Amino acid sequence: MMMAAPLRRLGGAVLDALLPPRCLGCGEAVLRQATLCVPCFIETPLITPPCCASCGLPFGHAAEGEPGEDGGRHCPRCLLAPPLYGQARAAFLYGPGSKRLLLPFKHGDRSELARPLARQMARAGRELLDRAELILPVPLHRWRLLRRRYNQAALLAAELSRLSGRPWAPDLLRRPRATPPLGEKGPAARQAVVAGAFALGPGAAARIAGRRLLLVDDVLTTGATANACAWLLLQAGAAGVDVLAAARVPEGR
Ligand SMILES: [Zn+2]
Ligand SMILES: [Zn+2]
């Protein structure tokens, strides 16, 4: 049910009175619900333009990178080996501040972080969301899903769907093969580990053929997972695959 804005504001005020607002990162008292305190905010840099037109790597200035065929400027890695996905964007740089949000979100039980994280993702990926016809979370293998109880990417996808009105599908993309944690592995090793880890669920091909898809994950590291999923989805006839993550590591894709 949609509440009228004044009623929603009133709801927020009542909630604030009942639960003193706490910083999402460290739990310190703050002025408004679902915000960060100043030290946490400083340690959680938002990614804003300019950035690589393909992988979203933040640039220090607008003349960084080289122009590509699409007119946008691209980082050297994307020019050398263009990713299979169209564009990737992320809300935050992965670092001390975003880890304070993302690690409890991933391994703990702080599923309520999905909403504020998705709000920032929608800001960073507005154009990607606008053209998306279907939102797909990067799946977890069922063992990992059992241990964690929820797939953090699916929670983000559901929130992004709610914010944008775009449909999402939780199980079109599947992960039948368990892969070891990618941790400190380099780009080539990651590529080898994730190749073949994903599969399409029954009836998936009919739902993705000819459509522009948005793949959602919590952290974008080398892009190996995004590329493996994009390869599968494009093979199945998707018109394009973009990627939206909560955070990305500062280097490489
Ligand atoms: Zn804080
Ligand atoms: Zn790039």
Side-chain angles (χ1 to χ4, degrees), residues 83-141:
L84 295 174
Y85 57 76
Q87 292 188 304
R89 294 294 180 268
F92 304 105
L93 270 187
Y94 194 63
S98 55
K99 275 186 195 170
R100 220 170 286 147
L101 302 175
L102 288 165
L103 295 180
F105 177 54
K106 188 173 191 154
H107 300 288
D109 264 326
R110 296 205 52 202
S111 56
E112 82 280 5
L113 287 170
R115 188 158 291 187
L117 287 171
R119 226 175 269 139
Q120 289 301 328
M121 291 166 76
R123 169 198 58 80
R126 184 156 299 133
E127 287 170 26
L128 278 51
L129 266 176
D130 280 350
R131 66 182 181 218
E133 294 170 283
L134 187 62
I135 301 174
L136 300 178
V138 169
L140 279 183
H141 186 263

Side-chain angles (χ1 to χ4, degrees), residues 52 54-57 74-75 78 253:
C52 169
S54 318
C55 73
L57 179 76
H74 300 255
C75 74
C78 287
R253 54 166 178 82

Side-chain angles (χ1 to χ4, degrees), residues 23 26 37 40:
C23 168
C26 69
C37 71
C40 282

